[in-house]
Amino acid sequence: MDLSALAAVDWFPLWLSLRVATLATVASLLFGLAVAYILAKYEFRGKELLDAFITLPIVLPPTVLGYYLLVVLGRNSPIGQVYEQVTGSSLVFTWQGAVIAAFIASVPFLARSARAAIESINPDLEKAARTLGLSEAAIALRITLPLAWRGIVAGTILAYARALGEFGATLMVAGNIPGQTQTMAIAIYDAVQSGNGTLAIVLTVVLSAVAMTSLLVVGRYTKGRI
Amino acid sequence: MPLLQQRQPPPSRGGFHFPERVERVWLRKLSLLILIAAVVFGGGCSGSPGDRGKAESGVNGAILVLAAADLANAFREIGERFEEETGVKVTFSFGSTGQLAQQVEQGGRADVFAAANIKYVDDLKTKGLIVSETQTLYAVGRLTIWSRKGASAHPRRLQDLAKAAIRRVAIANPAHAPYGVAAKEALEEVGVWPQVSKKLVLGENASQALQFVKSGNVDAGIVPISLAKGSGGVWELIPANLHKPLKQSMAVLKSSRNERAAGAFVRFVNSPEGRPIMKKYGFVLPQESEE
């Protein structure tokens, strides 16, 4: 391969992808964990509905998610209008829009994995803690979540992988703007479409290597414990 | 049952210690995760081209041009020339005209919108999203039948696409891509639509339709001449009278924060410097008689 092509590659999409995926994963961790805890620990009306709703993004094609996001967050919706008044700019065509798309796509992986982990904990341990006088919040933070950490870490990895690879909804909400909203996945799509085969190969190899490395690092760090 | 029920005040010392090892590991993982997040996020923020670009669009003069896919080759060249001349940095986002228009409607901020069909610009004008007086007709597009060098068959006329040797034909999606609409019109006009419609593979936009044929997965495509030129394939012009004229119109968007530079770009495309480039890529220029 022509090495001069490497020097000319703009690495912005890689940094953007990492930033978007990381922020989306952190958001998924906070939100997904809360939902998983509620689903695992409480009985209430509409529980199945909430479970189905949170799982929906796995099943729906990304184009449907993208369309929902355009409608819900776009200029003509109440949410979009509030956001625009607060920040002075619509979410469409911004990298923040890409974070939201990646968050929606990745949160079900975390929520499902964490819920299964929380449900598999021996309830006697929590009961014992309760008899010893720990508050519910303390039980959650000091007993339940620490015991469920393997499932939570596994879910986080899946969520991160999904966020890093998010394409369809991102293209619809954040668009394809080089240097602003063009993530790796979209840069590769753009390179293929414009017939730039060399760039497409370089970006594809790099993205694969980055994804593989992060999975290996996490795998090694949690070796045999997930 | 309340979500967080306070039972007794937790014992001040010697609390519940059973999962201590697990807890320490858990806290380490969490802090590592947050550390990684901070590094990536922090690193991503400092001096990334994105933030630079953002600042430029207000202060240093940069514009974002949304353009139909057929313009990719011609506009990249015009953009470079425009940058040299004015120092204004131009960023392009190429896509299907319909999708770009939809994004503008939903509040996407950009400076110039260059459509492959005047209808989309007119629509945005009705909705008050473009600066009306800047709307300009800048080119008329033409279609070609395109096949790969070395392909088993090189169709030269639309009728050839109905033959059995051609198993698949790529066009842009007529639902939202103007070149797809024109391709459909031409196929209907020569009477082969019933046969060819069964073989169609729809591209998201004209570039993708060409990409399908280039990859060898589709035998032939109906694509803009602006993409066919310099593509290294075998192509034949489709007579302009077989479809409605592909009047391509562009305008400055209301959401632009740099209307002066945006206006300058629109004029540049139609200037003595922009026109020869457009012509080179096969566009018919507005104030010129059809070839």
Side-chain angles (χ1 to χ4, degrees):
Chain A
M1 195 196 298
D2 186 7
L3 275 179
S4 64
L6 264 179
V9 172
D10 175 13
W11 294 110
F12 173 79
L14 179 61
W15 295 119
L16 181 65
S17 272
L18 292 175
R19 186 190 340 173
V20 167
T22 306
L23 287 175
T25 309
V26 170
S28 286
L29 191 60
L30 298 175
F31 181 77
L33 213 49
V35 171
Y37 191 82
I38 291 168
L39 283 175
K41 289 288 167 200
Y42 297 98
E43 290 303 326
F44 52 92
R45 267 175 61 175
K47 178 174 164 169
E48 295 313 310
L49 207 65
L50 176 63
D51 186 37
F53 182 71
I54 200 89
T55 309
L56 212 52
I58 297 184
V59 186
L60 288 177
T63 43
V64 176
L65 294 185
Y67 184 70
Y68 273 138
L69 286 177
L70 266 187
V71 172
V72 173
L73 303 174
R75 168 169 288 170
N76 303 322
S77 82
I79 298 177
Q81 279 160 9
V82 169
Y83 184 87
E84 200 166 342
Q85 265 171 10
V86 172
T87 66
S89 140
S90 156
L91 266 171
V92 180
F93 283 164
T94 61
W95 68 268
Q96 288 89 341
V99 173
I100 292 181
F103 162 68
I104 300 286
S106 64
V107 75
F109 292 92
L110 207 140
R112 290 194 76 79
S113 179
R115 179 188 175 180
I118 292 170
E119 281 175 343
S120 70
I121 293 170
N122 182 354
D124 291 346
L125 294 174
E126 289 155 329
K127 282 180 194 152
R130 206 164 284 136
T131 62
L132 291 171
L134 272 192
S135 71
E136 292 296 314
I139 291 173
L141 287 176
R142 298 184 57 189
I143 314 289
T144 313
L145 295 182
L147 284 172
W149 75 268
R150 287 177 197 197
I152 294 169
V153 172
T156 308
I157 297 169
L158 282 177
Y160 185 77
R162 180 67 184 82
L164 198 61
E166 166 48 37
F167 171 75
T170 308
L171 183 62
M172 287 176 80
V173 177
N176 171 15
I177 303 170
Q180 289 177 33
T181 67
Q182 196 182 66
T183 60
M184 276 301 257
I186 290 172
I188 291 167
Y189 168 80
D190 197 65
V192 172
Q193 283 224 336
S194 53
N196 195 341
T198 317
L199 182 62
I201 291 172
V202 170
L203 294 179
T204 303
V205 170
V206 169
L207 185 61
S208 308
V210 168
M212 195 70 187
T213 311
S214 26
L215 291 180
L216 282 177
V217 166
V218 178
R220 179 164 198 168
Y221 190 66
T222 57
K223 195 164 156 190
R225 285 176 288 180
I226 289 182
Chain B
M1 167 160 122
L3 277 183
L4 303 173
Q5 197 173 14
Q6 195 72 34
R7 304 249 161 167
Q8 280 168 12
S12 55
R13 222 165 52 83
F16 188 64
H17 273 308
F18 166 67
E20 192 179 5
R21 193 189 67 84
V22 182
E23 187 180 345
R24 271 213 315 270
V25 171
W26 155 260
L27 284 175
R28 273 216 314 268
K29 313 265 161 191
L30 195 71
S31 49
L32 183 84
L33 194 79
I34 290 167
L35 188 73
I36 293 173
V39 168
V40 171
F41 184 41
C45 272
S46 58
S48 67
D51 299 309
R52 199 183 61 211
K54 238 179 170 176
E56 274 172 8
S57 69
V59 194
N60 302 329
I63 53 170
L64 171 61
V65 177
L66 309 177
D70 68 306
L71 294 162
N73 297 335
F75 266 30
R76 281 203 183 102
E77 196 171 327
I78 288 180
E80 273 172 32
R81 199 72 66 77
F82 182 72
E83 281 187 21
E84 277 168 24
E85 209 128 303
T86 60
V88 175
K89 173 146 179 27
V90 189
T91 306
F92 292 108
S93 179
F94 296 106
S96 104
T97 299
Q99 195 187 358
L100 293 171
Q102 173 69 22
Q103 286 170 324
V104 167
E105 250 175 71
Q106 294 300 339
R109 185 190 297 284
D111 300 291
V112 176
F113 176 54
N117 189 319
I118 192 167
K119 178 180 144 260
Y120 290 89
V121 181
D122 286 342
D123 276 359
L124 291 184
K125 185 167 38 178
T126 325
K127 290 173 180 139
L129 295 169
I130 65 165
V131 184
S132 305
E133 62 274 16
T134 61
Q135 189 182 346
T136 317
L137 183 73
Y138 62 96
V140 178
R142 292 290 301 273
L143 281 171
T144 63
I145 304 179
W146 197 95
S147 56
R148 234 156 77 103
K149 261 194 190 123
S152 53
H154 296 297
R156 307 193 75 79
R157 300 178 316 143
L158 287 169
Q159 286 85 342
D160 296 342
L161 297 175
K163 291 179 182 162
I166 305 292
R167 281 159 305 168
R168 282 188 177 154
V169 177
I171 67 172
N173 191 340
H176 56 81
Y179 276 92
V181 176
K184 186 179 173 193
E185 285 168 357
L187 287 167
E188 283 172 340
E189 184 67 26
V190 298
V192 294
W193 174 254
Q195 298 96 302
V196 177
S197 62
K198 293 182 203 116
K199 308 178 178 184
L200 286 183
V201 180
L202 301 182
E204 165 72 15
N205 53 52
S207 300
Q208 197 175 41
L210 176 62
Q211 173 55 30
F212 288 159
V213 195
K214 271 188 176 172
S215 71
N217 295 308
V218 174
D219 304 303
I222 302 178
V223 301
I225 186 173
S226 51
L227 297 180
K229 282 205 171 186
S231 63
V234 178
W235 53 272
E236 195 70 37
L237 207 57
I238 293 174
N241 58 6
L242 291 182
H243 57 82
K244 291 201 196 94
L246 281 155
K247 283 189 194 165
Q248 308 209 170
S249 175
M250 67 197 292
V252 174
L253 291 166
K254 277 265 169 68
S255 64
S256 173
R257 282 173 174 165
N258 200 350
E259 271 191 37
R260 280 182 52 206
F265 181 81
V266 171
R267 285 190 298 276
F268 191 82
V269 173
N270 251 330
S271 74
E273 272 165 296
R275 287 168 72 94
I277 301 178
M278 293 299 284
K279 204 167 174 180
K280 185 171 106 189
Y281 285 98
F283 288 105
V284 177
L285 301 179
Q287 288 91 16
E288 232 169 46
S289 55
E290 300 252 328
E291 295 162 50

